Amino acid sequence: MRAGGAPTTEPMAVPVPASVPPIEVSFPSLAAYAAGNCGIPYAWTFAARRTGPHVLVQGLTHGNEVCGAIALDWLLREGLRPARGTLSVVFANVAAYERFDPGDPFASRCVDEDFNRLWSADVLDGSRESTELRRARALRPLYERVDHLLDLHSMSDPCLPLAMAGRQRKGLALAQALGFPQHIVIDGGHSAGRRRR
Ligand SMILES: [Zn+2]
């Protein structure tokens, strides 16, 4: 579920709450997932014998939004496999996650720039370099093979869970098909750069 930022549209920079809430959960080590199994670090793909859609579930688009990492760590440890089609599990911005500092949790949202503002061909094919662009370019071939992508974010404000569906009908259809969360936001994207949905 896309949920990084304010309940309606994500601001340019996520505002830091006046008081940083206490960190009440422990974060998983991702060392066991570093190798990946599809030629990309921290990316795992499992194909069933029966044909079906390719679904990718991602966490850590933002390095300090750990709910996705916790969920995907659980999913991999449980050995969940698709009954048909293909399931990919991706820890996106691990470099930022590994810099997490409980005393300054918002600093590890990214290393150089927001991983979720890079998703247009001119940026990806351009000559610019950053930690996030290198990761985006490594993951791009995998993204281009998937039919459905679910990107798990954490909120920086206390609010109800929500899905960010974008303006395309397929995003709304995916959010409605999941049936949770109840609230679905249809917004027009971000002026700072294209997001991956
Ligand atoms: Zn986010």
Side-chain angles (χ1 to χ4, degrees):
M1 241 57 54
R2 175 94 244 337
T8 49
T9 56
E10 194 166 35
M12 290 285 284
V14 172
V16 177
S19 63
V20 175
I23 311 293
E24 296 175 322
V25 297
S26 56
F27 300 173
S29 165
L30 303 185
Y33 310 125
N37 72 343
C38 59
I40 306 169
Y42 299 100
W44 293 78
T45 290
F46 307 101
R49 288 213 180 108
R50 294 172 62 197
T51 58
H54 187 166
V55 173
L56 187 151
V57 186
Q58 176 163 298
L60 297 178
T61 288
H62 295 126
N64 65 336
E65 297 179 0
V66 299
C67 65
I70 293 169
L72 297 182
D73 171 55
W74 175 84
L75 187 152
L76 289 168
R77 279 189 291 107
E78 289 290 308
L80 187 80
R81 298 291 182 269
R84 62 188 181 95
T86 301
L87 172 68
S88 287
V89 175
V90 170
F91 301 94
N93 198 343
V94 178
Y97 175 72
E98 287 176 340
R99 293 181 177 206
F100 186 84
D101 175 2
D104 190 10
F106 290 87
S108 57
R109 179 175 169 84
C110 59
V111 176
D112 298 321
E113 62 181 326
D114 194 324
F115 181 81
N116 213 18
R117 304 287 181 269
L118 309 174
W119 298 98
S120 55
D122 61 323
V123 175
L124 293 167
D125 294 332
S127 58
R128 205 156 60 71
E129 286 290 344
S130 72
T131 300
E132 279 74 17
L133 264 169
R134 279 190 291 280
R135 183 64 173 151
R137 287 166 181 149
L139 284 165
R140 188 181 185 188
L142 177 59
Y143 293 139
E144 288 176 348
R145 293 199 294 273
V146 308
D147 300 298
H148 305 286
L149 186 148
L150 178 66
D151 193 11
L152 301 166
H153 291 247
S154 307
M155 299 296 280
S156 52
D157 300 299
C159 67
L160 293 172
L162 54 88
M164 301 281 281
R167 281 189 174 158
Q168 291 194 53
R169 195 169 287 273
K170 65 180 181 180
L172 180 59
L174 175 60
Q176 289 175 327
L178 286 167
F180 181 87
Q182 178 186 0
H183 300 284
I184 301 170
V185 175
I186 301 170
D187 75 339
H190 206 292
S191 60
R194 194 165 173 219
R195 291 188 292 219
R196 173 146 297 283
R197 304 272 195 189

